[in-house]
Amino acid sequence: MTTIDLSSAVETNWAGNHRYRARRIEHPRTVEQVQHLVAAEPRVRALGSRHSFTDITDTDGVLVSLADLPTTVEVDAGSRTARVTGLAAYGDVARALQAQGWALPNLASLPHISVAGAVATGTHGSGDRNGSLATAVAALEVVRPDGSLVRIARGEPDFDGSVVSLGALGVVVALTLDVEPTYTVNQRVFTGLGWDTVVEHYDAITASAYSVSLFTHWGDGGVEQVWLKSRGDDGPADFHDALPAGATMHMLDGGDTRAVSAQLGEPGPWLDRLTHFRMEFTPSRGEELQSEYLVPRDRAVEAIEVMRGLGERIAPLLQVCELRTVAADDLWLSSSYGTDVTAFHFTWNRDVDGVYAVLPAIEEGLLPLGARPHWGKCFAADAGALAPLYPRFGDFLALRDRVDPDRVFGNTFLDRVLG
């Protein structure tokens, strides 16, 4: 087991905006070592791919990285599931599944993120009929505060409260995911979709492909790019008042187009099209902050008008904003619990003070519409503002009290957002 002493070393999250304040980072090589660590320490947090933009994974105790645990992808064709272990990144899982003729129903824009971390924070891909990545989870294997290893499966009483858990219920060392036979996807990009068209035809626009992303800077030019990911050979040849892109495009001005997934309508394996970025390149820009608010689908047009009104104020900080849709689910702390949503995702310049200065204005406009922040990204709301947005918030607190009464997995982030 490898140890990093943080009293003499500097370790940060992926974006570089948060320096971990834990005493040390441990890298166990077996699940048994994870169990012994958790049982021996008064405060522990799991450390994944570090793609969160806050102190959600930090602790005043010990961070447990699963990076050195063996990663395997074991498919059970009979149940159409795959058991994924260790700190598995979606890109690695996707390659292993593809090699065996299987696929996941959806992927996030980045293949670099860990399955366990993405699930715990409610991370999602896109599509009117596609749930968040957490909805593919059939079972979890979790190390509890006393070091015991438990398996929680779909249909069991605590399951819906345990999947999107913010790391508050234990260290997830394996997940079982729903899979399906492999399939192909093609991606087409269109440019210049006017606001009047977006507002008038919003439902038709988001239903026009398996996965739809709208990229904008909230100016008068409307939506600058529309990315349509369609299964098989399907996909529109024209798109409202937008024009087809004649070359591969990056959603960020000046971005390296080699880093993005294949476009121009050529079908290819699902894992090479559902993500926005290729595994072998740094996703997005690297130096950035991100925020995201998931608004009930029936309030999306109102939310668009709110954001258009804030466009000039946020413009100096904004790299791009992306709109995507996510289907409803039954997971208690999911941002799409009980309702279909539109996700408003902000990629910011890495200006911590500037971003946190404008977040209250965004939340003042979006939270009254029912918007829920993405748990792993920058937001200002605390437990008092968040609790009314989640019908099962109290049930999750009760589950946490039962599973971790001594707050072994607690930290300052959870104190803020759960109370």
Side-chain angles (χ1 to χ4, degrees):
M1 182 160 53
T2 304
T3 300
I4 299 176
D5 183 354
L6 295 187
S7 66
S8 58
V10 175
E11 295 284 331
T12 71
N13 62 347
W14 174 80
N17 69 297
H18 177 75
R19 175 178 176 176
Y20 293 112
R21 296 185 292 269
R23 291 186 287 112
R24 67 184 194 273
I25 302 176
E26 297 285 2
H27 288 76
R29 293 187 172 88
T30 67
V31 172
E32 290 77 15
Q33 288 181 345
V34 176
Q35 293 177 264
H36 291 150
L37 273 170
V38 172
E41 297 291 338
R43 296 271 273 191
V44 178
R45 290 289 284 179
L47 185 63
S49 56
R50 308 193 187 194
H51 201 266
S52 295
F53 294 84
T54 68
D55 55 347
I56 184 173
T57 56
D58 211 348
T59 178
D60 56 5
V62 175
L63 288 171
V64 178
S65 170
L66 305 185
D68 290 348
L69 264 66
T71 295
T72 59
V73 179
E74 303 166 347
V75 175
D76 183 334
S79 63
R80 293 167 67 108
T81 61
R83 181 176 178 272
V84 177
T85 60
L87 185 68
Y90 270 99
D92 295 328
V93 171
R95 288 170 179 167
L97 289 174
Q98 176 70 6
Q100 300 176 65
W102 294 91
L104 294 169
N106 208 355
L107 289 170
S109 59
L110 278 64
H112 311 69
I113 57 177
S114 69
V115 176
V119 165
T121 55
T123 299
H124 56 89
S126 179
D128 281 5
R129 296 184 297 277
N130 295 325
S132 73
L133 301 180
T135 60
V137 175
L140 300 162
E141 296 170 42
V142 189
V143 176
R144 292 301 201 202
D146 61 358
S148 61
L149 181 64
V150 301
R151 186 177 189 273
I152 310 162
R154 185 182 287 143
E156 295 179 357
D158 291 340
F159 179 80
D160 286 346
S162 299
V163 182
V164 182
S165 67
L166 317 185
L169 304 179
V171 178
V172 175
V173 294
L175 306 94
T176 300
L177 306 176
D178 297 330
V179 296
E180 60 183 274
T182 188
Y183 54 91
T184 61
V185 172
N186 75 84
Q187 181 168 229
R188 292 175 171 86
V189 174
F190 292 83
T191 63
L193 188 66
W195 285 125
D196 289 345
T197 302
V198 172
V199 169
E200 183 178 355
H201 300 288
Y202 184 74
D203 289 341
I205 288 168
T206 64
S208 59
Y210 185 72
S211 169
V212 177
S213 293
L214 310 179
F215 292 99
T216 181
H217 291 83
W218 299 112
D220 293 337
V223 171
E224 291 98 346
Q225 297 181 33
V226 182
W227 291 29
L228 304 177
K229 304 172 190 283
S230 304
R231 290 183 67 147
D233 296 325
D234 293 338
D238 53 65
F239 197 73
H240 300 279
D241 58 352
L243 299 174
T248 297
M249 301 194 70
H250 199 294
M251 74 287 291
L252 299 177
D253 292 340
D256 186 351
T257 56
R258 296 175 302 170
V260 300
S261 51
Q263 302 171 12
L264 304 179
E266 179 185 357
W270 59 282
L271 66 165
D272 295 332
R273 302 293 190 277
L274 286 181
T275 62
H276 290 342
F277 301 102
R278 299 178 188 269
M279 186 75 168
E280 59 270 26
F281 286 86
T282 298
S284 197
R285 288 206 200 281
E287 287 196 6
E288 63 194 52
L289 298 177
Q290 294 180 12
S291 299
E292 188 168 36
Y293 297 90
L294 294 97
V295 180
R297 173 61 183 261
D298 59 2
R299 311 297 296 273
V301 171
E302 294 174 76
I304 288 171
E305 295 305 324
V306 168
M307 289 312 310
R308 290 186 66 190
L310 291 171
E312 290 187 7
R313 180 172 178 183
I314 68 175
L317 296 161
L318 186 66
Q319 296 193 41
V320 77
C321 187
E322 177 184 11
L323 276 64
R324 293 183 287 176
T325 56
V326 188
D329 61 55
D330 297 320
L331 306 175
W332 295 355
L333 289 189
S334 168
S335 298
S336 47
Y337 174 84
T339 183
D340 297 337
V341 296
T342 292
F344 288 67
H345 181 277
F346 302 84
T347 299
W348 305 106
N349 297 327
R350 200 177 69 179
D351 178 350
V352 175
D353 292 340
V355 168
Y356 276 91
V358 300
L359 290 180
I362 294 174
E363 293 180 6
E364 182 180 354
L366 297 185
L367 265 58
L369 302 179
R372 299 162 176 161
H374 187 296
W375 294 110
K377 301 178 182 179
C378 301
F379 62 92
D382 60 12
L386 296 170
L389 300 173
Y390 294 87
R392 304 299 296 271
F393 197 90
D395 293 325
F396 181 82
L397 296 184
L399 174 61
R400 185 191 184 203
D401 286 342
R402 176 160 49 86
V403 169
D404 186 19
D406 296 326
R407 301 297 188 258
V408 171
F409 304 114
N411 66 359
T412 55
F413 174 87
L414 295 178
D415 290 344
R416 289 197 307 273
V417 303
L418 297 181

